Amino acid sequence: MSSFIVKKERLSSYLKRLADKFEVHVPVSKEGMSLFAPYQENLELDFGSHPRLSAKSFFLPQREVMLQYGTTGEKLQQEQAAAHFQQLLFGVKPCDARAIEINARLLADNCSQTTAQDVYFKTRLNTTIMVGYGCDQPGAACFCSSTGGGAFNTTGLDALITDLGDELLVRLFEDRPNSQKLVDRDLMEEATGEVLAAAAAIAENAEKKMSGMPELVKPESGDSELFQLELWEETAQRCINCGICTYLCPTCTCFDIIDEGSGECTTQSRCWDSCMFGLFTLHASGHNPRPGRKERLRQRFMHKLSYFPDRYDGIVGCVGCGRCVMYCPVNIDIREISRLMAEVGG
Amino acid sequence: MHNPYTKYPVVLHAVTNETADKNMKSFELHFEHEDEADRFFQERVFIPGQFAMLWLPGVGEIPLGIASSPTERNKLLFTVNRIGKVTRKLHELPCGSVLGIRGPLGNGFPWQDLQYKNIALIGGGYAFTTLRSALVYMLHPGHRKNFGDIHLFYGARNPGMLLYKNELEAWVEHDSVDAHISVDTVGSSSWKHHVGLIPSIVTQELPEADDTVCALVCGPPLMIKFTLLALREKGYSPAQVFVSLENRMKCGIGHCGRCTIGKVCVCSDGPVFSMAELDGMLQDY
């Protein structure tokens, strides 16, 4: 592993040179929220805040055209929507990067039971460079270390930054070939052992802030027992099925496919969908396997905490980013649900 | 990289009205490109029991069980109820229209396990489509010797609602098929088959199970429920019965998240499940 120092006064020059080669996105504050925006000079960067939307949008955009069709006479022409420029996300939170790896298990894994891979997601996975920003100030609702991650977890990242005050330590991960594209010898210097020790102390301190929280793990009880808990009915009385948890969740990847246009030019697009919505599962016949709030709410938590780990080596479908906890209008808390699910039979 | 969302262009070749209420029509589609038909109909790629996504440009894409058999080379048949946005539009399309196909998708019936067995095909109503595929496949001279006796149970609300009327008589007369066609109510006095619900016809007519039998069941949820009870009473074990499930789907490849039942994905793990698998499934469908 190679580690470099970038002095903060050189950061804008460094980013500018990266932006010559890549489509660089950086976190900025806008209308009271932190968001990723395309890099421009003189942007005020906001590495500290937690972005409202996770990095999911860069791999599975909220809406994307998948295929374009023209029908001329009896011929059908189809074109796959063009591949985009190589993306570089600079300042991604480790939880959000780890979520992309989790999403890849479903959408881009060769070993899954279906051999189909999502070509759009997979292309972005191969071409996107992610530079993480170690969370030295975990948020009030953060619990990444309870889900198998951590404030300085490196899963899914090509490099990780530690903020040392006047300078940034950039650790490059050599098992990720794209990491070498981040080296800029004119603006970086090799990090000394002293600097590395200081960075390790910062990381350790951040982890400490989140210690003592209960682990989010797959409950020991079987699905059929969990499925029948009173918990779902009780919690559903509060839930309004607004879907904000699924939109903000970095590991929620359900989507809808829609056809638009008419005549000679039509497109097939997809957009995020949500298991919180009744239409999600409604059959044409009128039958709905998940007809009410209870069934839909249960689906979300059972999927995250039981079905997903069952299929994918015990990994829970939650990275502890805390967004659903922060923004749920009725204060439904996945940590609490997880605790109640774990208590069953115990 | 292969894009699983790319469609094979197909042309609507013929439309047959199937039922007296005119809500069920069969659509015969032909591939525009020979090489794509070859790929679709490749042996062990397309097997009866699978489904495909049928796409109407600018309208939408829907999952449909494939009603034709792999032995009916290049003829792709779907029998479709007029019920939603896409199927309404499909029912109005003129022959010659260009559509798109993705597939074949899903696991299909477990043909390895079915070899040399006596097979009961049990279907009700609209869901007989993939059983037609299975029956035509087993009756094909190239496959006939791989299967024992065929017991066919097929029921509809009334004689007018039976699908594939042109073929039904031939199946009934076929030496290899022990056919039991049934309707809930008879419209005319010329009806010469059973009257009654499929589960009770199965109870009356299907021989007791031994280790040489397997049953394939397709139908509406209530019919499936009572047919499975009847089969258990006949001594069918959970590993000898296979059921095809349906759920709303968009992608057909296990990604979009809506056809799941617990940790099972109907499109990519199914749509065909053994009764043993069904017994272990959550009641979320």
Side-chain angles (χ1 to χ4, degrees):
Chain A
M1 186 180 66
S2 45
S3 301
F4 295 90
I5 290 290
V6 179
K7 294 217 169 354
K8 277 196 180 164
E9 70 248 25
R10 287 181 175 173
L11 179 60
S12 62
S13 313
Y14 177 54
L15 285 171
K16 195 168 167 244
R17 283 165 68 148
L18 286 176
D20 289 338
K21 291 186 280 183
F22 310 107
E23 186 185 288
V24 178
H25 295 266
V26 289
V28 294
S29 272
K30 212 170 163 184
E31 293 166 15
M33 305 187 217
S34 177
L35 290 171
F36 271 83
Y39 173 77
Q40 297 164 17
E41 275 180 84
N42 306 323
L43 274 181
E44 188 148 345
L45 304 180
D46 177 16
F47 291 117
S49 307
H50 284 244
R52 184 71 59 95
L53 293 172
S54 77
K56 169 173 88 174
S57 331
F58 291 98
F59 297 84
L60 184 72
Q62 185 167 358
R63 183 184 180 283
E64 73 177 310
V65 174
M66 301 166 88
L67 296 160
Q68 291 167 336
Y69 294 89
T71 40
T72 43
E74 298 208 336
K75 290 277 171 277
L76 176 78
Q77 277 114 30
Q78 43 190 339
E79 261 173 61
Q80 189 173 316
H84 53 85
F85 205 62
Q86 186 164 29
Q87 304 181 116
L88 191 158
L89 310 182
F90 195 92
V92 177
K93 298 288 171 184
C95 54
D96 287 345
R98 192 167 160 261
I100 302 304
E101 291 276 300
I102 290 178
N103 298 343
R105 295 300 300 269
L106 172 71
L107 296 171
D109 200 336
N110 277 321
C111 315
S112 69
Q113 291 185 8
T114 57
T115 49
Q117 296 186 54
D118 188 299
V119 60
Y120 308 95
F121 180 90
K122 178 94 178 181
T123 304
R124 293 190 179 100
L125 191 67
N126 290 341
T127 60
T128 303
I129 302 175
M130 281 202 282
V131 179
Y133 185 91
C135 259
D136 44 25
Q137 300 289 335
C142 288
F143 55 101
C144 57
S145 50
S146 305
T147 63
F152 283 75
N153 189 283
T154 60
T155 309
L157 289 171
D158 298 288
L160 180 64
I161 293 169
T162 307
D163 195 332
L164 299 166
D166 295 332
E167 52 195 22
L168 302 174
L169 169 69
V170 184
R171 289 157 62 205
L172 303 178
F173 306 125
E174 273 152 12
D175 56 327
R176 310 268 298 195
N178 278 335
S179 65
Q180 291 313 305
K181 298 179 181 169
L182 296 163
V183 178
D184 186 337
R185 300 239 169 226
D186 299 341
L187 297 170
M188 293 172 131
E189 11 183 304
E190 298 264 356
T192 62
E194 229 167 89
V195 168
L196 291 174
I202 290 173
E204 201 180 317
N205 196 32
E207 292 290 357
K208 254 188 224 158
K209 286 181 187 165
M210 283 190 293
S211 64
M213 283 197 255
E215 296 284 305
L216 245 81
V217 289
K218 181 179 152 52
E220 280 175 22
S221 309
D223 283 347
S224 49
E225 197 178 350
L226 295 169
F227 196 73
Q228 288 170 38
L229 295 181
E230 293 275 317
L231 164 70
W232 308 125
E233 182 61 52
E234 285 164 18
T235 314
Q237 291 183 3
R238 281 191 279 157
C239 180
I240 54 171
N241 276 177
C242 71
I244 193 69
C245 49
T246 58
Y247 272 56
L248 296 181
C249 178
T251 62
C252 272
T253 54
C254 289
F255 56 85
D256 192 8
I257 296 178
I258 40 171
D259 275 85
E260 289 165 314
S262 62
E264 298 213 332
C265 182
T266 66
T267 59
Q268 192 166 57
S269 312
R270 69 171 158 197
C271 57
W272 295 349
D273 205 345
S274 171
C275 57
M276 291 293 116
F277 303 155
L279 281 176
F280 188 61
T281 48
L282 181 68
H283 290 199
S285 66
H287 170 67
N288 196 339
R290 296 184 210 129
R293 288 179 299 177
K294 172 186 146 189
E295 292 81 10
R296 303 202 271 271
L297 172 124
R298 175 173 64 193
Q299 166 65 20
R300 176 168 153 83
F301 289 110
M302 288 289 283
H303 182 227
K304 299 266 177 232
L305 299 172
S306 190
Y307 308 151
F308 193 90
D310 243 356
R311 273 190 102 116
Y312 299 104
D313 309 323
I315 302 167
V316 290
C318 172
V319 292
C321 73
R323 288 183 180 91
C324 59
V325 178
M326 294 272 281
Y327 297 105
C328 175
V330 296
N331 295 328
I332 293 171
D333 188 332
I334 189 169
R335 296 169 297 186
E336 178 73 358
I337 304 273
S338 162
R339 187 179 65 76
L340 292 168
M341 284 168 77
E343 271 177 8
V344 177
Chain B
M1 205 186 313
H2 169 69
N3 186 350
Y5 291 103
T6 310
K7 295 113 180 60
Y8 297 131
V10 288
V11 180
L12 181 55
H13 181 75
V15 182
T16 315
N17 183 39
E18 292 283 356
T19 54
D21 69 356
K22 296 191 176 170
N23 275 336
M24 293 289 290
K25 284 182 183 175
S26 285
F27 300 87
E28 187 182 331
L29 303 163
H30 289 181
F31 283 81
E32 274 210 312
H33 307 297
E34 259 317 282
D35 58 323
E36 293 177 346
D38 289 342
R39 227 178 301 156
F40 192 99
F41 280 92
Q42 236 177 85
E43 213 175 326
R44 279 187 288 276
V45 168
F46 168 30
I47 57 173
Q50 287 183 298
F51 70 97
M53 299 298 295
L54 177 66
W55 175 70
L56 272 67
V59 184
E61 208 174 11
I62 50 168
L64 294 169
I66 305 171
S68 48
S69 154
T71 52
E72 296 169 291
R73 179 70 178 70
N74 204 3
K75 168 183 159 178
L76 198 50
L77 191 74
F78 296 103
T79 305
V80 184
N81 185 24
R82 182 171 63 179
I83 189 157
K85 185 177 101 178
V86 178
T87 56
R88 271 169 213 286
K89 190 80 187 171
L90 177 66
H91 270 244
E92 294 164 8
L93 280 186
C95 287
S97 302
V98 180
L99 308 170
I101 279 286
R102 287 198 281 132
L105 299 168
N107 57 358
F109 296 119
W111 293 102
Q112 291 295 340
D113 300 342
L114 299 178
Q115 282 221 347
Y116 310 119
K117 296 278 167 62
N118 299 316
I119 312 280
L121 302 176
I122 308 172
Y126 304 163
F128 191 67
T129 55
T130 52
L131 290 182
R132 179 200 177 272
S133 173
L135 181 59
V136 172
Y137 177 80
M138 289 193 289
L139 291 179
H140 186 268
H143 297 138
R144 186 64 204 95
K145 62 180 189 314
N146 299 336
F147 303 97
D149 302 335
I150 299 173
H151 303 277
L152 173 66
F153 292 83
Y154 175 36
R157 288 205 304 274
N158 57 58
M161 294 304 287
L162 286 163
L163 306 177
Y164 315 122
K165 292 186 191 66
N166 295 338
E167 293 166 295
L168 265 185
E169 283 311 313
W171 294 334
V172 169
E173 314 255 295
H174 202 289
D175 290 343
S176 309
V177 184
D178 163 40
H180 300 278
I181 313 298
S182 181
V183 292
D184 302 353
T185 50
V186 188
S188 74
S189 54
S190 63
W191 180 250
K192 50 185 192 257
H193 304 288
H194 297 276
V195 178
L197 298 174
I198 281 297
S200 30
I201 308 292
V202 168
T203 301
Q204 283 165 34
E205 304 288 345
L206 185 67
E208 295 288 320
D210 53 28
D211 56 8
T212 66
V213 297
C214 269
L216 310 181
V217 185
C218 297
L222 218 54
M223 180 222 124
I224 289 182
K225 185 179 166 188
F226 289 102
T227 302
L228 296 188
L229 284 176
L231 288 171
R232 278 184 220 263
E233 275 171 22
K234 289 272 173 197
Y236 276 77
S237 77
Q240 287 178 311
V241 181
F242 298 91
V243 180
S244 187
L245 297 184
E246 291 182 347
N247 241 348
R248 186 167 193 181
M249 294 171 189
K250 289 285 182 165
C251 71
I253 54 173
H255 291 168
C256 79
R258 72 198 60 223
C259 72
T260 57
I261 302 171
K263 65 178 175 183
V264 173
C265 199
V266 173
C267 70
S268 55
D269 300 327
V272 177
F273 297 95
S274 70
M275 191 157 70
E277 290 171 302
L278 225 55
D279 287 343
M281 245 180 238
L282 296 171
Q283 290 303 304
D284 202 21
Y285 59 96

